[in-house]
């Protein structure tokens, strides 16, 4: 019932920047956490960053100081600003949201479709 739509991926040179967006839509709900994960073939999906409704944030050590996650609760959206990109940042990035439906507080977890970020010269 809740859907996430991602945008913003693409090809960028090392040292460049990209901004990923994720918007949630669908049934009436309250999102508790939103986050960005990334995955490359043959490797485990890893958490890049996440944020709570209250604004608490968590970052992977590999992206601290370079990436910034933000959230607009009114728009049910999350963003990932990626600066100083490195080739090792190349991956498919997935948006994730966890929350509850407002009418019965049952839990949900949804994933975006994924957007490819390629960092290469």
């Amino acid at each position: 019932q809740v859907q996430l739509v991602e945008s913003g991926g693409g090809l960028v040179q090392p040292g460049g920047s990209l901004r990923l967006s994720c918007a949630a839509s669908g049934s009436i709900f309250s999102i508790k956490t939103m986050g960005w994960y990334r995955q490359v073939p043959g490797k485990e999906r890893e958490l890049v960053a996440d944020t709570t409704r209250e604004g608490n944030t968590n970052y992977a050590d590999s992206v601290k100081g370079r990436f910034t996650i933000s959230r607009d609760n009114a728009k049910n959206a999350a963003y990932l600003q990626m600066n100083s990109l490195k080739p090792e940042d190349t991956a498919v990035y997935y948006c994730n949201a966890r929350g509850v439906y407002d009418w019965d507080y049952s839990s949900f977890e949804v994933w975006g479709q994924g957007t490819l970020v390629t960092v290469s010269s």
Side-chain angles (χ1 to χ4, degrees):
Q1 300 183 55
V2 180
Q3 299 182 74
L4 301 179
V5 178
E6 303 178 30
S7 63
L11 174 64
V12 64
Q13 293 184 345
S17 298
L18 284 174
R19 182 177 175 86
L20 306 183
S21 299
C22 176
S25 63
S27 303
I28 298 174
F29 55 81
S30 295
I31 295 176
K32 293 182 177 180
T33 64
M34 297 189 75
W36 291 93
Y37 295 72
R38 66 187 181 188
Q39 188 170 28
V40 299
K43 295 185 178 181
E44 296 288 330
R45 185 185 301 171
E46 66 174 357
L47 174 68
V48 177
D50 62 14
T51 181
T52 67
R53 187 175 185 86
E54 294 74 26
N56 297 325
T57 58
N58 181 52
Y59 295 92
D61 289 340
S62 60
V63 306
K64 287 181 178 178
R66 299 189 297 120
F67 291 10
T68 302
I69 188 170
S70 60
R71 180 173 175 175
D72 187 335
N73 292 328
K75 296 181 178 180
N76 289 319
Y79 310 92
L80 186 68
Q81 179 66 44
M82 304 184 293
N83 298 326
S84 301
L85 283 162
K86 304 175 181 179
E88 51 263 43
D89 294 319
T90 296
V92 177
Y93 285 71
Y94 296 92
C95 182
N96 172 271
R98 299 184 179 93
V100 297
Y101 296 110
D102 289 350
W103 61 88
D104 66 357
Y105 296 98
S106 59
S107 299
F108 68 82
E109 180 180 32
V110 295
W111 293 89
Q113 79 279 10
T115 184
L116 177 63
V117 173
T118 302
V119 184
S120 176
S121 60

